[in-house]
Amino acid sequence: MNSKPVPTPIVKTTNLHQNDSNAYQDPVAYRRLVGRLLYLTNTRPYINYVAPQLSQLMANPTTAYFKTMTRVLRYIKGSPGQRLFYGTSSYLQLKAFSDYDWASCIDSRKSITCLYVFLGNSLVSWKSKKQNTLARSSLEAEYKALAATSCEIQWLTYMLDNFRIPFKRPAPLYCDNDPARPIAANSVFHERTKHIDIDCHVVKEHIQSNMFHLLPIKTTQQCADILTKALDPSPFIFLLSKLGVINIYSPACGGGGYWSQVIMLIINSHRILDQTRLR
């Protein structure tokens, strides 16, 4: 309670791995804190990068992992009023941001899939998850992330259709990987893409069905970049503002988007059910 707040949840130079330090003396307390951080990811998407990393070493946590977790707690202490804001004037169109972090896990060398999906200007879905298989190239990791994002857009599209909510199509999907976009538009597969042909077909099929279209974006403007790596305070705060995260204790805060909140509640209920099944 007496610690000083920090501007970011994780230091940029932090590299967590299994044998980085000595074992932590109280693993039960560590697991309890990690569980609470994972619960907070339902309303605080900006800690969804560091919280899953801390959960990877639940059996035998190290002092370095605990030190990283205490920094997350110091960040939360300094921003108790940060929440997602749903505006009443938001237009109904899905838009997504897809990114990846290639071979970022030091222990397994697996890549991380990161995505954000907005309904208008309201963030309704996000994910930062380690990919199931190793990616031999950054292009392969990017296409795995694009395939996961396209499936998320498809699910949300079906949900809106079932609710009979009119929304604008196609959804823009922003990707900052330049080689990935031409491959998605090119119907000819070659030696470079034969190991990711399934993901390529998934993305191409959704593009041809007019579900979404790929658009370029600068890395500095890529919202999903906040889920791929630790950032300095300036870019972290800038990307945080693009997520629609504001201080709810501010007098200027008020209102809420009805349909965005409905979608968010349903997605969170699915997440809680999935976590219950895993337990």
Side-chain angles (χ1 to χ4, degrees):
M1 295 300 296
N2 296 324
S3 61
K4 294 181 179 180
V6 291
T8 59
I10 185 172
V11 181
K12 187 175 181 180
T13 56
T14 302
N15 291 314
L16 297 174
H17 57 91
Q18 293 181 357
N19 301 317
D20 54 2
S21 60
N22 297 327
Y24 183 60
Q25 297 180 353
D26 193 354
V28 176
Y30 178 88
R31 298 186 194 110
R32 188 183 303 115
L33 287 174
V34 170
R36 293 174 179 175
L37 288 181
L38 291 175
Y39 178 77
L40 281 179
T41 59
N42 288 320
T43 55
R44 293 174 177 255
Y46 43 86
I47 65 171
N48 216 57
Y49 166 70
V50 61
Q53 289 193 59
L54 296 174
S55 65
Q56 293 177 8
L57 217 63
M58 297 284 276
N60 299 302
T62 64
T63 55
Y65 273 70
F66 179 76
K67 184 178 179 180
T68 302
M69 181 166 55
T70 56
R71 181 178 175 88
V72 180
L73 298 177
R74 290 170 61 193
Y75 173 77
I76 294 174
K77 178 192 175 184
S79 56
Q82 278 189 348
R83 297 292 188 275
L84 289 171
F85 176 72
Y86 299 101
T88 56
S89 60
S90 181
Y91 58 93
L92 294 182
Q93 181 185 26
L94 293 172
K95 64 177 179 179
F97 296 83
S98 176
D99 205 357
Y100 70 100
D101 193 10
W102 181 44
S104 60
C105 180
I106 300 177
D107 297 316
S108 64
R109 282 303 175 186
K110 290 183 178 181
S111 306
I112 297 177
T113 292
C114 309
L115 64 92
Y116 279 123
V117 184
F118 292 78
L119 181 59
N121 294 323
S122 304
L123 181 62
V124 295
S125 181
W126 58 88
K127 180 184 293 185
S128 178
K129 183 178 180 181
K130 188 185 297 184
Q131 296 179 358
N132 295 328
T133 58
L134 290 170
R136 298 175 57 187
S137 65
S138 59
L139 181 64
E140 181 179 355
E142 174 65 34
Y143 252 92
K144 289 181 182 295
L146 281 176
T149 308
S150 64
C151 292
E152 188 75 9
I153 294 174
Q154 183 183 33
W155 178 59
L156 290 172
T157 299
Y158 292 161
M159 184 182 295
L160 292 172
D161 285 334
N162 290 336
F163 289 159
R164 298 183 180 179
I165 302 174
F167 61 98
K168 187 178 179 181
R169 305 179 190 231
L173 198 167
Y174 296 96
C175 169
D176 60 359
N177 188 293
D178 293 332
R181 292 189 301 274
I183 293 176
N186 184 11
S187 60
V188 179
F189 294 92
H190 45 75
E191 183 70 21
R192 187 181 179 187
T193 61
K194 68 178 184 180
H195 58 297
I196 54 172
D197 59 342
I198 295 178
D199 291 325
C200 289
H201 280 294
V202 169
V203 175
K204 186 179 298 297
E205 180 181 346
H206 289 158
I207 292 177
Q208 292 176 350
S209 65
N210 206 34
M211 183 174 295
F212 66 84
H213 60 277
L214 281 174
L215 294 175
I217 190 172
K218 295 181 179 179
T219 302
T220 55
Q221 301 287 329
Q222 173 63 273
C223 290
D225 200 43
I226 203 172
L227 292 180
T228 61
K229 55 182 175 290
L231 298 173
D232 289 326
S234 295
F236 179 81
I237 295 173
F238 171 73
L239 294 178
L240 202 61
S241 64
K242 293 177 68 67
L243 298 181
V245 176
I246 65 171
N247 186 357
I248 63 172
Y249 299 146
S250 172
C253 177
Y258 175 75
W259 285 117
S260 298
Q261 294 182 41
V262 170
I263 299 296
M264 184 63 192
L265 288 172
I266 294 175
I267 292 174
N268 278 339
S269 65
H270 279 278
R271 287 201 185 101
I272 294 172
L273 287 174
D274 291 340
Q275 293 174 3
T276 304
R277 293 190 190 101
L278 288 175
R279 292 193 187 98

